Amino acid sequence: MDNTNKIVLVTGASRGIGKAIALKFAQSGYRVFGTATSEQGAQKISNYLAQFEAHGEGLTLDIKQGNCLESLVKNLQTNHGDIAVLVNNAGITRDSLLLRLSYEDWDEVIQTNLTGIFRLCKLVSRSMIKARHGKIINITSVVGHTGNPGQANYAASKAGVMSFSKSLAKEVGMRGITVNCVAPGFIKTDMTDTLSDGLKNSVLNQIPAGRFGSPDDVAKAVFFLASEDASYITGSTIHVNGGMFME
Ligand code: NAP
């Protein structure tokens, strides 16, 4: 299938998993638009996309800001066309045990990881419904299935995204739109780099594959869900975790 100039929007594409996803689509001829929270991050995205013929560009976005989201989607649709694939990847952690977890850290994680996805799906699905075609892939986490001490806010946000995705999949299935999740386990990125060696080793002991995942491991699953080979898959989650959690 010719994917040239099909538009993909990947949030949080400046580094880590989002960057690997953006590169994977760009390598296959899609026109990729990736977001970062700063101008500098957006420029970095434009730079790595410039090597591809159907290149898109980096854009700035704070997913917590509703008006920022609206203008981003409007700008894309007016200047480039409708979004065929939406990958909601941007996410943050603000870890703390419940008794010390502040309302601010609760809110920031829920606003970024859950409310942002609700807003973006609402904005993008309108044109997908009209086109009777679209792929939405939301990045959740193994922690949304297992829970994790110190991550009540993060785990709740990711479990919320999964249930949100199932509900949306039921709403838009008849319109040719699929909505799925990819739930990474422990992937080597800036997000996990800050964890102590002791914690990393204890997690590694729980991974049957015997290694941490790479951003590319996740990108491959996302790419599959966006392909026509996955057209009969919706409301599902693909776990990319080396076996550390099995459903
Ligand atoms: P990362 O390296 O920390 O990158 C996070 C990305 O999100 C960056 O591009 C960042 O942009 C963007 N971002 C942060 N706050 C944002 C905001 N308010 N608005 C818009 N964008 C924002 O993270 P990662 O490890 O690649 O994780 C990517 C996704 O996978 C997240 O949803 C995460 O929860 C999920 N995940 C990761 C792991 C793992 O082991 N790494 C495991 C399970 C799930 P800037 O560069 O501008 O800050």
Side-chain angles (χ1 to χ4, degrees):
M1 175 171 254
D2 183 18
N3 295 317
T4 314
N5 287 327
K6 270 195 185 169
I7 293 181
V8 185
L9 174 61
V10 183
T11 63
S14 51
R15 49 204 168 94
I17 293 170
K19 181 177 178 181
I21 294 169
L23 282 168
K24 181 88 187 145
F25 279 96
Q27 281 154 4
S28 299
Y30 284 84
R31 186 138 200 244
V32 179
F33 292 85
T35 76
T37 56
S38 65
E39 286 291 347
Q40 203 190 9
Q43 189 54 52
K44 268 199 224 158
I45 298 170
S46 295
N47 292 348
Y48 73 66
L49 290 175
Q51 62 182 301
F52 302 100
E53 205 177 323
H55 68 83
E57 60 188 88
L59 305 164
T60 55
L61 171 73
D62 179 351
I63 203 163
K64 299 191 297 303
Q65 311 284 333
N67 53 350
C68 197
L69 281 166
E70 265 177 45
S71 55
L72 177 114
V73 172
K74 211 173 185 178
N75 161 25
L76 272 180
Q77 288 174 335
T78 310
N79 298 316
H80 304 285
D82 287 337
I83 296 161
V85 181
L86 169 64
V87 184
N88 284 304
N89 164 78
I92 58 164
T93 51
R94 293 285 182 271
D95 298 351
S96 193
L97 293 172
L98 184 68
L99 291 183
R100 282 200 294 264
L101 181 58
S102 67
Y103 287 97
E104 289 75 19
D105 284 348
W106 172 269
D107 271 347
E108 193 170 4
V109 168
I110 298 295
Q111 289 294 325
T112 307
N113 296 2
L114 181 58
T115 311
I117 290 183
F118 149 68
R119 282 190 166 136
L120 203 43
C121 286
K122 193 171 160 72
L123 288 165
V124 171
S125 61
R126 188 178 294 274
S127 65
M128 287 182 171
I129 287 169
K130 260 198 207 149
R132 302 191 78 81
H133 193 269
K135 308 276 184 188
I136 297 176
I137 298 120
N138 297 324
I139 307 300
T140 57
S141 170
V142 63
V143 161
H145 295 258
T146 61
N148 201 27
Q151 290 199 306
N153 50 356
Y154 182 75
S157 73
K158 295 298 189 180
V161 171
M162 186 188 51
S163 300
F164 167 81
S165 304
K166 287 181 182 175
S167 304
L168 183 57
K170 288 188 176 182
E171 286 184 24
V172 297
M174 289 291 279
R175 314 294 182 112
I177 302 168
T178 63
V179 187
N180 290 292
C181 297
V182 172
F186 192 112
I187 310 297
K188 281 172 78 172
T189 67
D190 291 350
M191 188 178 267
T192 46
D193 262 4
T194 52
L195 301 172
S196 71
D197 286 345
L199 186 60
K200 283 183 192 164
N201 282 333
S202 88
V203 174
L204 190 55
N205 284 332
Q206 299 163 44
I207 303 177
R211 67 168 176 91
F212 296 131
S214 69
D216 217 34
D217 289 323
V218 181
K220 285 174 190 162
V222 172
F223 189 77
F224 166 67
L225 287 172
S227 74
E228 289 314 308
D229 289 345
S231 59
Y232 201 54
I233 301 176
T234 194
S236 287
T237 295
I238 295 185
H239 292 273
V240 181
N241 63 26
M244 83 186 267
F245 166 75
M246 301 175 190
E247 261 190 327

